[in-house]
Amino acid sequence: MEIEKLLKEVKADYQKTELPSYLKNEGWSNLTYKLTSQKGSIFGLFFRNSFIFAAIIIVALGTTATVSQASNPGDILYPVKIASEEIVAKITGNPNKKIENRVEEIINLTQEDKDIEKILEKYEEDLKNANENAQKEEQKENLKQNLESLENKLKEAQAQNPNSNRLNQARELTQQAQGQVKGQKNQKENSQENRQDDHNNKKDK
Amino acid sequence: MDEVNLLILKAQQEDKDAFGKLYGIFYKRIYRYCLFNCHDQATAIDICQETFLKAWKSIKKFEIKKGGSFQAFLFTIARNLIIDQARKKKDLQLEKFQNLEAVDTTEEDIDKKSEKLKLKKALFKIKEKDRQLVILRFFEEMSFGEIAKITKTKEGALRVRIHRILLHLKEIIENGN
């Protein structure tokens, strides 16, 4: 049989397809429940747009925070940098990034002969906070290493700019902080030794 | 303006009753088209209903002035849904079809039935999109112009394509491959 003739035969079967009673009796009435406004509900529109809006905000904030990391005091994005530092320090519990940023700012701005008095004040405050936060032995060791590396950076910067008093001040602050960390460590070691001695004395008695 | 176009215009103004009349005109054809492709009554009903739901949501995009065919509009939606469904259940179709045919015996001439069965089986051995073209052209008796709109192809290319599909079907029936 030719293919066209066969197709006609199958077409006859196809057109005889019986409709299920569900579709005949309830098809339209069930569908009509689902027919919402063609404009889309305000609720759906709000949520669809709010997701897009939220995504734009997140991307914009992320980009601003990243770009702000290169800013120095006086720049528009500097407050963003300080705010993001605070957030990172709170989330990670590690304030070392703050003092690293201050040292970078001090070095950059002394190269440009700008006044850094306020940054030095902030640096002193951040060093104090970092010291207070370093309670555990591991944190103290990290801070100690970090301060050593910052001291080296400042030393290198001072070698290139030997007349800068501000760099000298920054180094002094760093050294003081190093001394405090070491002092705390020594104090702790001494108190442990004292406790051990007391314990031994009691044993001897 | 004919009745269907008037109903479309009303449905575009969110008139559900008018859309209900359009449903009444076309749902049988959409259902049988879905059933032939899916061989599962429940799936065919779901796709049929989903077709009209999607048609309602996008009916404002349908342009009567540009000579749009509403049946082509509906069959485009149904075809896309069937293709999506086929992707999900790729291997089940032929098996289902064969089972259905084994049960469905009538008193028709055995040779004739055997030939018809061969063609039906051959239709499920060709590509999904090619099968849709055969159904639309030979079972739904649509013009090449309408099918070209549904499948978004050029009419000339479509004629050539359908001619090749028929040759391919013939070959499958004769050789069984």
Side-chain angles (χ1 to χ4, degrees):
Chain A
M1 200 185 287
E2 279 180 28
I3 189 87
E4 283 84 359
K5 267 190 177 177
L6 261 179
L7 281 166
K8 273 185 188 172
E9 298 278 346
V10 177
K11 184 182 105 182
D13 287 352
Y14 174 88
Q15 290 183 336
K16 278 182 212 159
T17 306
E18 279 183 24
L19 279 171
S21 56
Y22 165 79
L23 215 53
K24 266 192 228 170
N25 305 327
E26 297 162 57
W28 171 245
S29 59
N30 280 341
L31 188 71
T32 192
Y33 284 120
K34 297 177 187 170
L35 300 182
T36 50
S37 167
Q38 291 160 351
K39 288 168 194 159
S41 68
I42 294 171
F43 192 67
L45 203 68
F46 172 75
F47 269 92
R48 198 164 51 244
N49 289 339
S50 68
F51 276 122
I52 296 166
F53 188 64
I56 291 168
I57 296 285
I58 289 166
V59 171
L61 284 178
T63 312
T64 312
T66 311
V67 172
S68 73
Q69 295 308 305
S71 65
N72 285 317
D75 294 344
I76 298 167
L77 290 176
Y78 190 69
V80 178
K81 182 181 177 178
I82 297 294
S84 65
E85 271 176 9
E86 291 293 340
I87 293 166
V88 171
K90 275 187 182 158
I91 292 170
T92 60
N94 181 3
N96 287 356
K97 185 69 187 160
K98 286 192 202 175
I99 54 175
E100 284 169 23
N101 284 349
R102 292 301 82 74
V103 168
E104 270 178 31
E105 286 161 15
I106 290 165
I107 294 170
N108 289 340
L109 292 181
T110 47
Q111 279 169 353
E112 293 169 19
D113 272 342
K114 286 186 178 167
D115 186 29
I116 56 163
E117 197 181 333
K118 282 187 180 170
I119 308 175
L120 280 171
E121 282 171 16
K122 180 90 173 73
Y123 182 46
E124 194 174 0
E125 190 191 320
D126 289 342
L127 281 171
K128 199 180 154 194
N129 287 339
N131 239 327
E132 284 169 2
N133 267 304
Q135 296 293 329
K136 290 179 189 168
E137 204 56 39
E138 194 188 339
Q139 289 172 322
K140 278 179 194 165
E141 195 52 41
N142 278 342
L143 180 61
K144 195 182 146 197
Q145 283 175 7
N146 207 8
L147 288 169
E148 271 173 22
S149 139
L150 295 176
E151 160 68 1
N152 287 336
K153 275 187 184 174
L154 287 164
K155 201 173 164 184
E156 280 171 27
Q158 208 180 21
Q160 287 172 4
N161 194 357
N163 299 324
S164 170
N165 287 330
R166 297 299 193 191
L167 279 175
N168 206 26
Q169 280 179 325
R171 277 193 71 187
E172 279 172 10
L173 289 172
T174 315
Q175 284 160 359
Q176 273 174 24
Q178 280 178 298
Q180 280 167 356
V181 176
K182 278 179 192 167
Q184 277 179 8
K185 250 186 125 178
N186 292 338
Q187 229 176 354
K188 203 175 179 185
E189 279 164 11
N190 288 339
S191 65
Q192 273 177 344
E193 276 170 21
N194 289 341
R195 273 203 298 274
Q196 188 64 40
D197 287 343
D198 287 347
H199 184 68
N200 292 339
N201 289 339
K202 278 177 190 170
K203 257 189 170 179
D204 291 342
K205 278 177 190 173
Chain B
M1 191 175 280
D2 67 14
E3 192 202 342
V4 170
N5 283 349
L6 271 173
L7 291 170
I8 293 166
L9 282 176
K10 285 182 181 173
Q12 285 176 331
Q13 305 299 317
E14 304 201 6
D15 182 338
K16 284 185 189 176
D17 291 337
F19 190 72
K21 283 177 185 163
L22 286 170
Y23 177 90
I25 295 170
F26 291 103
Y27 84 104
K28 288 176 198 165
R29 291 182 61 195
I30 296 297
Y31 169 74
R32 72 185 182 197
Y33 175 66
C34 297
L35 184 68
F36 192 86
N37 280 287
C38 310
H39 292 290
D40 179 73
Q41 202 182 67
T43 312
I45 291 172
D46 284 348
I47 297 177
C48 176
Q49 297 290 81
E50 187 65 23
T51 300
F52 283 95
L53 203 59
K54 285 198 168 207
W56 169 257
K57 283 178 185 166
S58 56
I59 200 165
K60 283 190 177 171
K61 291 178 194 162
F62 179 73
E63 291 172 326
I64 301 171
K65 283 179 190 170
K66 288 189 178 176
S69 149
F70 193 67
Q71 70 166 357
F73 174 70
L74 288 175
F75 274 93
T76 306
I77 299 171
R79 178 177 174 267
N80 290 337
L81 289 171
I82 288 165
I83 290 170
D84 285 348
Q85 179 73 20
R87 278 195 199 116
K88 286 179 203 162
K89 297 180 178 177
K90 212 173 180 180
D91 305 321
L92 291 175
Q93 287 214 6
L94 185 60
E95 197 185 322
K96 267 189 180 177
F97 173 77
Q98 282 166 336
N99 291 340
L100 197 81
E101 285 300 307
V103 177
D104 186 25
T105 50
T106 66
E107 289 174 6
E108 277 183 275
D109 176 47
I110 292 171
D111 285 343
K112 210 175 177 184
K113 185 162 174 60
S114 160
E115 289 284 292
K116 272 160 63 178
L117 191 60
K118 274 183 188 172
L119 174 63
K120 285 182 183 178
K121 283 185 179 175
L123 275 170
F124 283 84
K125 283 181 183 173
I126 61 175
K127 287 178 189 168
E128 170 78 34
K129 287 181 181 177
D130 289 347
R131 180 165 69 248
Q132 307 287 331
L133 296 180
V134 175
I135 298 169
L136 295 174
R137 177 69 188 136
F138 297 99
F139 301 166
E140 288 296 335
E141 297 176 318
M142 282 190 191
S143 67
F144 284 106
E146 268 186 316
I147 302 171
K149 275 180 195 164
I150 294 170
T151 54
K152 294 185 178 78
T153 46
K154 287 183 181 169
E155 217 179 299
L158 189 68
R159 283 175 192 273
V160 176
R161 182 81 215 138
I162 289 180
H163 178 69
R164 284 185 186 155
I165 295 168
L166 291 188
L167 290 178
H168 189 200
L169 280 173
K170 203 174 171 185
E171 200 183 305
I172 295 172
I173 293 167
E174 283 168 4
N175 302 330
N177 291 315

